[in-house]
Each structure stands twice: as C-alpha cells, then as structure tokens.
Amino acid sequence: MNAKVPMKQELSSLIEQSLAALISQGKLPEDASPKVMVEDSKDKAHGDYASNIAMVSTKLAKQKPRDWAQEIINNLPDSPILSKAEIAGPGFINFFVTEAASLSVINTIFEQGSKFGHNDSGKGQKVQVEYVSANPTGPLHVGHGRGAAVGDCISRLLLANGWDCTREFYYNDAGAQINNLALSVQARCKGLGPEDASWPENGYQGHYITELAESFMKGETVESADQSFTGTKDADDVDGIRHFAVAYLRREQDLDLKAFEVDFDVYFLESSLYEQGNVEEAVQTLIKNGFTYEDGGALWLKTTEFGDDKDRVMRKTDGGYTYFVPDVAYHLNKWKRGFGRVINEQGSDHHSTITRVRAGLQALKMDIPEGWPDYVLHQMVMVMKGGEEVKISKRAGSYVTLRDLIDQVGLDATRYFLAARAPSSQLTFDIDLALSQSNDNPVYYIQYAHARICSILRKLSSETLHWDLSNGLAKIDALVEEQEKSLANKLARFPEIVKAACTANAPHMIANYLHELAGDFHSYYNNHKTIVDDADLRDARITLTQAVRQVLVNGLDLLGISAPQEM
RNA sequence: GCGCCCGUAGCUCAACUGGAUAGAGCAUCGCCCUUCUAAGGCGAGGGUUACAGGUUCGAUUCCUGUCGGGCGUACCA
C-alpha cells in the first residue's frame, strides 16, 4: 500500500474499480458515473469507513439498494488495506481496514513533520484576506478581536493549502467619523466634556479621548507603523488634531494587534485612494457607464440594477462621497493587483456594504465576476461576567476592548474562544468560565494533551531509557489495541479537515478536531501505559504519541495558539 | 414592513455541506491517583434539533410558511 495516499481516496478508488467492472458486465449504464463518497464511521460497529454509493446509484442499477450493495462488494478488487466490507442499514457499505493500513499514517506524519496536513491545492493562486479594518477612532473591541482571530486563522489555513496569501488591513482614515474624532479630541483640548453644551453631537466619550488630547497639548510625538506626527499644542488646529489622533489611535491598535499576535502584510489607507485619484477615477467610470443620476443635489448609483432594494447616494450634497464609494475604488485596486480571490472578514453589522460594493464593481464593467469578492461575516460577541453582560470598559467607555480580554484570560484562551465557533453564530464570551475555572477551559484541555505527551519523553529520560524512532516505526504493528487504531484513523483525518476548513472558511473546524483528538489521546493515555518494559511496544507507543503531538502542534499553529511543553 | 444571520441537552457550542442510535464541554450525580502530569479518565441522567408542512431511500442540514432573537434597512462606517 502507498502510505501517501489517504485511506478514503484509496477506498474510493476500489469502489470505482468495482463500478467499472459492473459497467463492463452490463449491470450499470456505460455513461454512469455516480459520485463516490467515503465517510468516517461514527460507530465502530460500522467499521472504519462507510460509503453510500449503493444508495445513490441504486436507481441507475435498477436494483434494490442492499442487493446492489452486495454486487458492488462482490466486484471490489483485492486490496491489502481492506479486511472486510459488509452491507448495513438501508444499503451502506461498511469498510473495515487492516491495522497496518490505519497505522501507515504514522509514517507519513514523521516524513512530513510540520507540513503534515498541508497541501498545495491553492498553488500558484493569489488570495487576499482583509480583516479587522477598524476605523482609527478608538481601541479595538471584542468584535474586532473576533474578526482578527477568524481572519488570521483563515489566512493560516490558506497558506497551509498552498495559496499565495496576502493579509490586509484597511484603515478608514478619511470621512465623517474621523472628523467626529477630531472634533471630540478638540473639545477635550479645550477642556470641554460631554456635559457642556458645545460638546460635539455624537462625539466620542471614551477616556482615551482625554488621554489623546492631553498628549496633543503636551506636544508629544506619536509614531505608528507608517506615520509620525507631533502634537502642535494648538487646540484650534483641527487638521493637526486629526492627523495626531489618527496616528495615535493607529499606534494604539497596532499594539492591540501585536498583543493578539496578529500580523498584516499590507496596511491600506483609505486616504491614499483619494490622494492617488482612484476614487475620482472610479466615480467617472460609473458616470460614463450610465449607472448614475443626480437627484436632490446628490449623485446616486443605480444599485437597484444589481439587486439592491433601493439606489444609494454616492456623492452627498456637501460634496463628500459616502463610505462605499472609496470601498469600490479599493476593491478595484485589489482586482487590479491580481487577486482572483478576495475574502473580506467583517462584522455582520456591515453586511449591507456587500450589495453596494458588488454593485459598484459590476457597474464598472471591468469583467469582475458577479460574486466577487467573498465575504465571511461574523456575528456579534457578547461578553459575560458574573452572569451579566459587560458593556463598559474603563478606557473605551462604551465597549469591552480586546486588550481587556487578553489581559484577563490570556492570549491563547482569547484566540481559542473567538475562533472556535462558527463565525455565523452569535458568540457568548464568558469571562468567568475562561478565568475563574481556567482548568475547565477547552484550550487547556488541548494544550494539556500536548504537555502530557512531552512529559512522557521527560519521564523516559529520567528512567535512563530512550526512544528509538526507527525501531518504533519498524515495530509499529505492535500496536494492536482498538484505541491505537482509532487514534491513527483520527490522525489520518487531519489533512482533509485542513482542506475542508479552508474551503469553508471555517477555522472552528480545526478547533473542534483538536478537541476530539485531545480527548482520544487522554482516554488512550489513561488506559494504556506508554512506558512499558517491552522495548518494541514501548517504541511503537511513543512513536504513536509523538505523531499525535505533531498533529496537535500543526493544528494549534493553524489557530495561532501555543503548544506548551509543560503546564 | 423589507433584507441578511441565527434558533440543537439546564448553559456554551459541534455535527465532516443530505446519511445509520444528533455529539462534546460546563453544570448535576456515582466511581478511578503506592502506575508516564487528576488541568485527566470511566459511568449515569439530561433532546419532538423553535413550530407546521414539503422535497426523497434518508432532513439538524435543502424549499415554503409561522413564532422568537440579533444585525441592517443613513446624503454614518
């Protein structure tokens, strides 16, 4: 058998050979090509793998499902991996594979090491992932944290699937919200507070605004990733305040992201689209293509021609563009940079932009595919503490910051909780659970499995024994326990999970898998001693556990979570 | 009103994109540390998958409707 070929693929191939034989026997139409699917069995009584092939092709064969399944089984070629195939239930074919076949994945894991689970299905293709993209108007909140975790993990998955992935953060550093920020800071510079009559309407009230104003009035210099600005100490200098505030909050967010260990390849400034004339260019194209009209002193885009329920204002009566116009220009820029695939990770509260941006891109008439770009929307995060929702933080005022969370429950736990749930589900982040009962925290459960495996080696050397990998691999068939086989089968699933999680943009699938794998390991660990007297069995078992360790490391790495040697 | 997302054990969430008896973790109740880390394991209880129809060999998954929750429905982003 070939250890490089995944088990399911091998079984699929056997089934296909059987179907081909049945076609030549005239029992199946020549042009029949039913989709062969092989799945893991949930129940050991159902073997290791199962296929529904007989049920989906029963009509083509004009036979009853169970009879037809028997025909397929009868025509399966002999294979060293297969010990038994039997019919079950309405017409499933259950496959029992040999111990040796299940254990062969261990070889593969040691050959591929940190690359085990990776594939090159995205090879030669450019993809861009945009995430977080918070306005520089305040510290990052929990929602941004979820976006950061999900977007970062999606990027890691794409890289593991061979894609040429660019991670990007889009800063809305122009527009009305930034003006509002500048005015809020200016008010603080002048010693005003929300209680004063001249406080700006909807002004930002967080404590950080006051800190910012103080820093500006002291003439401090702020340096962020790509800009530096010194406070002019002049409370009437709105432009100066604006620049200073943006630089200050960008630095603030950079620190938040650094604390969360989330990186970007490109920080894209909205203001650069104006400076380069890209916004004006896009607008002119839209006008030229006849998708705009003037009404009430504003310029409108006929988004209704692209599925929107009403047309949208592009240029306001005050001459400024609405937010989605630079967004269209930005996406045109992405397209021109050659990203055939773009994934925008954002909060579902911004989902209305999707229709507008796509409409704008279609109206440009540049042969951009209709469904481009892709979106992953995450639902809101509710933070609970003491059985009550937390809405306030000291620094930000009206929301819980990402930094609050990291400081309280740690980096790994924060990342795990924010990435371990399907983005489309609303998420409750229970600080008490993650904090006061940290030993019940699922991330520790996974990390503990890793630490336990490491401790086996420590124990081994303390007994002046050593682990012989090549002997372990050579004597791998000493592993005859049922749990050893199912553990190996679980390891063999990892590559397909990595692939599926990537195509579905669903990092939580990795988290779920790791939790299952850790559970299987803990159970095995409690039932079977690894360090036994028999050197062959001992080497084989350590080899198995080290393979588990490798997969845990690879999986945790996809989530950006550490794999501690001891806890 | 309209659009998008969601509704699964007391709580937080899974379910390999349509498969077999719907699974984990908390919480509750029993067991297991002279044995490689008990941050662990074993076992028990807990469900009409919101509700009603439909599609088919088969539905938590797809379609329709109802109810409930979140978000949006700006010349804010």
Side-chain angles (χ1 to χ4, degrees):
Chain A
M1 89 206 67
N2 183 349
K4 294 280 178 51
V5 179
M7 199 73 63
K8 287 184 188 176
Q9 209 170 307
E10 194 133 336
L11 291 170
S12 296
S13 149
L14 295 179
I15 294 170
E16 274 158 15
Q17 290 176 56
S18 170
L19 293 175
L22 286 161
I23 287 176
S24 67
Q25 293 165 30
K27 291 179 179 170
L28 202 60
E30 291 265 351
D31 56 347
S33 57
K35 194 181 171 196
V36 176
M37 278 177 58
V38 177
E39 300 176 308
D40 302 87
S41 306
K42 288 174 188 165
D43 189 336
K44 285 197 180 65
H46 296 147
D48 300 301
Y49 300 93
S51 179
N52 60 358
I53 185 66
M55 281 132 74
V56 297
S57 61
T58 185
K59 279 183 181 168
L60 288 167
K62 294 173 184 158
Q63 290 203 50
K64 290 178 185 170
R66 288 184 63 103
D67 295 344
W68 179 231
Q70 188 59 53
E71 293 262 25
I72 296 174
I73 291 176
N74 292 344
N75 283 277
L76 286 171
D78 285 336
S79 165
I81 68 165
L82 198 57
S83 69
K84 189 168 59 165
E86 58 184 31
I87 310 171
F92 287 101
I93 299 177
N94 289 337
F95 295 99
F96 296 76
V97 301
T98 60
E99 288 273 343
S102 289
L103 296 171
S104 68
V105 69
I106 297 171
N107 254 310
T108 312
I109 292 169
F110 281 98
E111 278 168 29
Q112 301 181 350
S114 61
K115 295 289 179 202
F116 176 73
H118 295 205
N119 66 78
D120 59 0
S121 58
K123 197 175 182 184
Q125 300 177 79
K126 286 179 71 174
V127 60
Q128 186 232 35
V129 185
E130 182 201 328
Y131 53 109
V132 185
S133 294
N135 293 344
T137 53
L140 298 179
H141 55 65
V142 196
H144 294 129
R146 189 173 193 186
V150 171
D152 180 64
C153 292
I154 286 175
S155 303
R156 289 167 186 261
L157 280 168
L158 287 162
L159 290 165
N161 281 268
W163 289 79
D164 175 5
C165 176
T166 300
R167 305 149 177 243
E168 198 151 318
F169 187 125
Y170 177 64
Y171 269 103
N172 295 91
D173 64 339
Q177 294 299 341
I178 298 299
N179 271 328
N180 186 12
L181 170 72
L183 293 176
S184 305
V185 175
Q186 183 179 41
R188 285 293 183 191
C189 288
K190 293 183 171 176
L192 298 172
E195 65 285 355
D196 288 301
S198 54
W199 179 261
E201 202 180 342
N202 298 320
Y204 292 99
Q205 299 186 14
H207 183 64
Y208 65 93
I209 296 290
T210 311
E211 293 174 358
L212 216 170
E214 283 167 4
S215 179
F216 178 83
M217 294 309 278
K218 279 187 211 155
E220 290 177 354
T221 298
V222 212
E223 295 193 34
S224 70
D226 61 357
Q227 52 188 278
S228 164
F229 201 85
T230 303
T232 60
K233 307 185 193 182
D234 176 3
D236 289 319
D237 177 12
V238 191
D239 280 341
I241 291 174
R242 181 185 296 108
H243 281 116
F244 184 83
V246 168
Y248 184 99
L249 290 171
R250 285 205 52 192
R251 183 189 60 181
E252 179 103 356
Q253 293 185 354
D254 287 345
L255 291 173
D256 289 346
L257 291 167
K258 198 170 181 183
F260 205 40
E261 293 184 4
V262 167
D263 293 319
F264 293 89
D265 302 304
V266 177
Y267 288 88
F268 198 101
L269 294 176
E270 179 187 15
S271 57
S272 75
L273 291 166
Y274 287 98
E275 287 163 12
Q276 307 288 318
N278 296 333
V279 176
E280 198 52 39
E281 203 179 316
V283 170
Q284 290 310 318
T285 307
L286 293 172
I287 294 173
K288 188 180 63 156
N289 290 350
F291 289 108
T292 62
Y293 60 90
E294 301 234 11
D295 184 46
L299 183 68
W300 296 70
L301 182 65
K302 298 177 186 172
T303 53
T304 47
E305 299 202 7
F306 303 95
D308 205 352
D309 51 2
K310 59 190 267 195
D311 291 337
R312 305 291 168 177
V313 169
M314 291 173 63
R315 190 171 55 221
K316 299 178 275 184
T317 48
D318 70 2
Y321 290 114
T322 54
Y323 66 92
F324 84 93
V325 177
D327 229 17
V328 170
Y330 175 42
H331 281 83
L332 177 58
N333 172 289
K334 292 185 185 183
W335 178 255
K336 285 181 174 170
R337 275 189 279 160
F339 294 113
R341 185 176 178 199
V342 163
I343 300 167
N344 291 329
E345 205 292 345
Q346 46 185 240
S348 64
D349 54 336
H350 287 184
H351 79 259
S352 61
T353 66
I354 298 175
T355 314
R356 293 171 209 187
V357 168
R358 284 184 180 157
L361 291 169
Q362 289 306 303
L364 288 171
K365 293 281 173 200
M366 307 203 47
D367 292 326
I368 297 172
E370 268 183 53
W372 189 94
D374 287 342
Y375 283 85
V376 173
L377 302 179
H378 64 257
Q379 296 289 314
M380 301 294 95
V381 181
M382 183 174 67
V383 179
M384 297 283 289
K385 191 175 185 179
E388 286 182 7
E389 183 175 359
V390 187
K391 287 184 169 172
I392 306 294
S393 96
K394 209 171 185 182
R395 274 187 56 65
S398 57
Y399 57 87
V400 180
T401 67
L402 174 60
R403 204 84 73 81
D404 290 338
L405 229 46
I406 298 172
D407 289 346
Q408 286 191 61
V409 308
L411 172 64
D412 286 338
T414 306
R415 284 192 77 119
Y416 183 87
F417 276 108
L418 292 177
R421 305 300 186 211
S424 59
S425 303
Q426 289 170 38
L427 173 64
T428 302
F429 198 117
D430 190 335
I431 290 183
D432 295 322
L433 194 79
L435 187 66
S436 67
Q437 303 181 315
S438 63
N439 48 342
D440 297 324
N441 196 322
V443 69
Y444 292 140
Y445 184 80
I446 298 167
Q447 291 180 319
Y448 181 46
H450 181 268
R452 261 187 158 173
I453 295 170
C454 293
S455 83
I456 294 173
L457 286 188
R458 283 194 296 271
K459 177 70 177 178
L460 192 71
S461 61
S462 79
E463 294 184 5
T464 62
L465 294 168
H466 79 286
W467 165 49
D468 185 337
L469 170 60
S470 53
N471 187 49
L473 290 172
K475 301 287 165 51
I476 205 74
D477 58 359
L479 302 178
V480 295
E481 300 293 339
E482 186 56 40
Q483 278 190 310
E484 290 168 337
K485 183 182 180 184
S486 60
L487 201 46
N489 284 346
K490 182 77 78 182
L491 294 175
R493 287 196 62 188
F494 184 61
E496 63 192 78
I497 295 286
V498 172
K499 194 178 268 183
C502 183
T503 43
N505 293 324
H508 71 283
M509 290 173 67
I510 300 293
N512 290 333
Y513 170 81
L514 289 175
H515 197 263
E516 282 176 26
L517 176 61
D520 287 357
F521 169 75
H522 284 308
S523 178
Y524 171 65
Y525 178 91
N526 274 275
N527 278 307
H528 302 287
K529 209 156 156 47
T530 311
I531 301 177
V532 292
D533 291 337
D534 179 344
D536 289 344
L537 180 60
R538 184 174 68 229
D539 281 339
R541 284 190 171 166
I542 298 174
T543 301
L544 171 63
T545 60
Q546 288 297 316
V548 172
R549 191 195 70 81
Q550 182 70 63
V551 174
L552 287 171
V553 168
N554 295 4
L556 284 169
D557 187 58
L558 288 172
L559 298 178
I561 295 174
S562 68
Q565 306 269 325
E566 48 190 318
M567 299 180 71

